[in-house]
């Protein structure tokens, strides 16, 4: 049996004494802090963020009392938001894909090798080309076609599949634009990989645009999906060097390498509860 | 006395036999090719680019005959553009600066260390704060104030200083926008450093915009200046990792490191005749 | 049918006129040069290296006459070594693996996506754990156990499998040390991935050694295998940032990412005939 | 007047409750935590490290009482080591240099621009070539020649200059090997920049060795100096890409760029009390 790895994330209005109060609660339960990261947006009067991973012999046994103590001290006492999770419990992640398989297969491999602590209860695609590969990993594959301008039926079908079954949705080069309704109803975070260094080359065909502009680096951006396309909070970005001799195809190939790294890091960090959303930005501990 | 380092750059419409014809001319003069880089935009019917650095015992003695042979074979015979230069002869580079000194001093220092093969006949600034440092390098400093919306008098004064004296103008964080007239009349290439990874964060205050967007990397771009602001052909770009805890000041400091590297590489490559402009893009050999 | 992509690699003692003579031969066959890279170790009296990719309408038809012309002009006339290949023809690559699957699967997947122009006629392993995955790619898998200190029987069996069937052998985390006899008899190049930035951490357990030394970067090195273990010519290297909090397991995971990138680049470049071995070093065009 | 920026660093044997106890002390003084980094080498029974930067209205006024509380609670109560400093107070840094000026001038510039919070009370060199540049920054320069095998007189002279005047010594390409006696007597930390990616290319002429080995990256390492040459705890490392065409001179130039970045980061982090030495390693918060 895997040992528990409890993580407490706290955020809200900063003031003196928060760390002391929060860690006092943990100390009262004989919890040993494994790592603590803290960030305040300002020395005085800013926003406070704290992630604490701790070790305690019988986490499941003490969890109800610990939660009650956090409600009292952190929630009611200090007026802060908090979440308590056990990152040894894998997150349930649905992957949405289209024709491009590289981000999808990369995530499935990393899951199988134990690099990302997640289960993948389903892959959903508007095409069937990846079905066999996905099922080869022992993962259910669902085909939800999406033709024509009205995506509402397809989105409803996807929502029905996801409902109650997943903790995170990953768009692994899912080339359909999700409606505001979908985003509003999905009920779990959605991570997307955009194949450019945002905010450069927003929108379609970023590698073609990059070639035309003659850039010397191409990149990728993983971000949470919000109703503003390509404007969600950025989780991770990276770039790779290119030169004048690289064709659009070569840019695409080099960029795909970066897309895999960036998306896998973002999903891994999310599954370890390292990311706190703060308005249009992310704090990554 | 420094040995000559002749460089021949050829470009134009591609066809079979160009490299053979060009290198035959060099071989007829007993020139030994030190390095040859070639690029065609397409296997058939594209644009042809070639840079050849060669060694020949008495370059100055044979130069007139070599030029005549290039006129005949490459220019008239093949209908291609060519330039023959000696990169052991330092380019004369004027640096325009404002209040920020780090790019300016970095270039002067690299010149002094022999990293960039250039002379700096003048530094021109609309402020005087850098005057003493510049003169400490033995470089003339000219103060050309630039106040109010009409820059034409200041620009005319700068053009008069530059005229005939320089082979390149470098804008080392020169915060004035140069007019189309200036660009049209300056008669030599102008390189600018933009403090973002173009085309992200075009315009003013890119580090502040980067902070607001929550990016995880900041960068810099060196480009030739054209009449379209921030749209000139990109020479070099690079980035550095940042995180949520970095303030705008810290982004500026980390970005300044990248600005120095990127601008110094661009100037160095230009001074070694490694860059060919091709429309909105550059070929960097 | 795929268009031919002929590549001519020439190397030997430098002198004036080589590029002209070599490209004259190509021009006589109406070949258009797509890219030409050239390097000389010294302006006078060094070693000469040239890689030329060219386009010619009917390569297979003219190949015998072209070879004859190269023999006459380049081989006999200039006394240089040359090889003429068609990189549109995939190289036949055998992969040797052990228990670790990530480099192996990464190569198979890149082959399937068309990123590396190779066929994989066989995977050979001293374990069977990867058999099913390999066969899922439609690639034959051969199990050659290797127990005890005497590897000669196992090596003979591998040599028999390889003989005549492959153009390259890739050791994808094959944890057995190959004997000098094997290296002498295999008859094709062998590329290995070493999980450190050579020459740091030569030998076994580099990530554990890296942790103990407290390094801030870990890396990987792809090199040709010679009789001197970990001393063969380096093809490619890269690194990734780590910190004090990374355990040996985390170093291994981060390093694996770099191993995949570095090994896949090395194999790709080899399959495109971009690498020339020069003593203990490589020229990578 | 600059606002105080107090930093508390705590380390010792880990156990539950340390963070709570330490931050309780701070909270009792109405201190607001600006950033807190914590690391334990093991979830149970490891070593504990914590760096806390906090804000308190009148730091100098409460400092004696805070120190007394830390002695009682952290030192005597928990048996942990702690240091309390004010990083708004610049560290006094002596720089030792030889003929190479680039690391030296880079540090002086960064100091002048306010990038590194230090003063430089002296530069000491066994040569005089940098004297004028150093004094141009308003920094005293002392020439201490060092000829012949016996360095004891020169070292004694340097120790006399340093004694009581500095908080840190930086070897900015100081090419003399310091004796064990010097290291034992200097009484402040000493940071060195080594021009290779340690542990690769230990000892002299690393760029020449790198060229001979044919590596594809060169790097630099900043480390604390201990009695074991090139074996002190590593603070920071970085690399830059090179290729076969780079001469030893070009490797040296590219490497120098990395040396400046690596050394300046190490000195900056030291001056911000971000580094904790732990045996042969460093924790960098």
């Amino acid at each position: 049996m895997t040992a528990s790895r409890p993580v407490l994330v706290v955020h809200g209005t900063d003031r003196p004494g928060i760390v002391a109060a929060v860690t006092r609660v943990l100390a009262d339960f004989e919890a040993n802090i494994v790592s603590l990261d803290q960030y305040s947006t300002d020395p005085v009067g800013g926003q406070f963020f704290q992630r604490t991973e701790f070790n305690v012999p019988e986490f499941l046994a003490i969890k109800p009392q610990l939660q009650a103590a956090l409600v009292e001290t952190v929630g009611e006492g200090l007026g802060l938001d908090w979440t308590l999770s056990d990152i040894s419990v894998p997150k349930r992640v649905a992957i949405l894909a289209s024709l491009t398989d590289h981000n999808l297969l990369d995530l499935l491999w990393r899951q199988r090798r134990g690099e990302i602590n997640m289960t993948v209860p389903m892959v959903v695609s508007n095409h069937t080309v990846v079905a066999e590969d996905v099922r080869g990993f022992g993962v259910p594959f669902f085909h939800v076609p999406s033709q024509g301008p009205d995506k509402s039926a397809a989105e409803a079908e996807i929502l029905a599949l996801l409902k109650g079954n997943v903790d995170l949705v990953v768009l692994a080069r899912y080339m359909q634009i999700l409606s505001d309704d979908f985003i509003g109803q999905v009920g779990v975070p959605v991570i997307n990989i955009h194949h450019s260094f945002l905010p450069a080359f927003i929108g379609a065909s970023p590698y073609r645009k990059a070639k035309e502009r003659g850039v010397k680096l191409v990149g990728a951006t993983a971000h949470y999906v919000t109703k503003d396309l390509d404007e969600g909070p950025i989780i991770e970005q990276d770039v790779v060097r290119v030169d004048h001799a690289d064709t659009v195809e070569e840019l695409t190939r080099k960029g795909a390498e970066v897309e895999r790294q960036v998306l896998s890091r973002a999903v891994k960090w999310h599954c370890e509860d390292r990311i706190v959303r703060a308005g249009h930005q992310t704090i990554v501990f």
Side-chain angles (χ1 to χ4, degrees), chain A:
Chain A
M1 187 197 155
T2 310
S4 294
R5 294 182 59 194
V7 165
L8 173 65
V9 174
V10 175
H11 60 108
T13 304
D14 196 12
R15 84 188 66 172
I18 297 178
V19 179
V22 171
T23 56
R24 179 75 264 153
V25 173
L26 297 178
D28 288 343
F29 287 84
E30 293 293 314
N32 192 41
I33 292 173
V34 176
S35 76
L36 189 158
D37 294 285
Q38 188 274 340
Y39 169 64
S40 296
T41 56
D42 215 272
V44 181
Q47 286 291 304
F48 174 92
F49 302 88
Q50 180 184 334
R51 177 191 186 271
T52 310
E53 183 177 342
F54 56 94
N55 186 54
V56 70
E58 294 288 341
F59 175 63
L60 292 179
I62 62 113
K63 191 177 172 188
Q65 297 104 292
L66 176 56
Q67 286 177 311
L70 290 167
V71 166
E72 188 186 330
T73 305
V74 182
E76 296 170 1
L78 293 165
L80 299 169
D81 294 327
W82 61 271
T83 55
L84 178 66
S85 62
D86 179 354
I87 62 170
S88 76
V89 179
K91 297 253 190 305
R92 302 166 303 161
V93 180
I95 306 176
L96 272 58
S98 288
L99 288 166
T100 311
D101 67 353
H102 70 97
N103 278 114
L104 167 65
L105 295 180
D106 184 66
L107 289 173
L108 293 175
W109 265 341
R110 289 178 195 266
Q111 188 275 333
R112 191 175 77 173
R113 276 202 294 274
E115 286 191 13
I116 302 179
N117 195 24
M118 62 180 179
T119 60
V120 183
M122 69 185 74
V123 168
V124 180
S125 176
N126 55 337
H127 294 277
T128 56
V129 288
V130 298
E132 195 178 345
D133 276 328
V134 168
R135 288 174 181 148
F137 280 91
V139 169
F141 173 87
F142 300 114
H143 179 219
V144 180
S146 173
Q147 283 160 337
D150 184 359
K151 311 288 186 195
S152 57
E155 289 194 347
E157 190 176 342
I158 297 173
L159 284 172
L161 287 166
L162 299 175
K163 194 173 175 59
N165 290 322
V166 302
D167 304 306
L168 175 71
V169 172
V170 175
L171 308 183
R173 301 296 306 274
Y174 182 68
M175 306 305 281
Q176 306 290 313
I177 294 171
L178 297 170
S179 71
D180 287 1
D181 267 4
F182 183 95
I183 303 299
Q185 291 177 46
V186 66
V188 293
V190 180
I191 293 178
N192 183 45
I193 180 74
H194 185 85
H195 42 323
S196 88
F197 178 80
L198 287 176
F201 309 122
I202 287 174
S205 302
Y207 293 124
R208 187 178 51 70
K209 290 176 187 162
K211 177 69 183 172
E212 284 164 6
R213 184 63 187 88
V215 292
K216 303 301 185 186
L217 302 168
V218 295
T221 303
H223 62 93
Y224 287 112
V225 175
T226 60
K227 294 183 180 182
D228 298 312
L229 190 68
D230 292 347
E231 293 290 338
I234 292 171
I235 302 168
E236 171 64 341
Q237 304 188 288
D238 217 333
V239 294
V240 66
R241 185 160 286 274
V242 298
D243 74 18
H244 58 266
D246 286 311
T247 59
V248 174
E249 291 68 36
E250 195 66 7
L251 294 189
T252 304
R253 192 188 67 73
K254 289 187 175 178
E257 192 93 35
V258 181
E259 292 168 31
R260 293 194 290 275
Q261 293 169 37
V262 164
L263 181 59
S264 66
R265 280 183 219 144
V267 174
K268 179 179 172 64
W269 295 340
H270 182 94
C271 289
E272 295 173 351
D273 287 326
R274 296 188 176 279
I275 313 174
V276 188
R277 288 170 66 159
H280 292 299
Q281 302 180 13
T282 61
I283 316 298
V284 181
F285 285 126

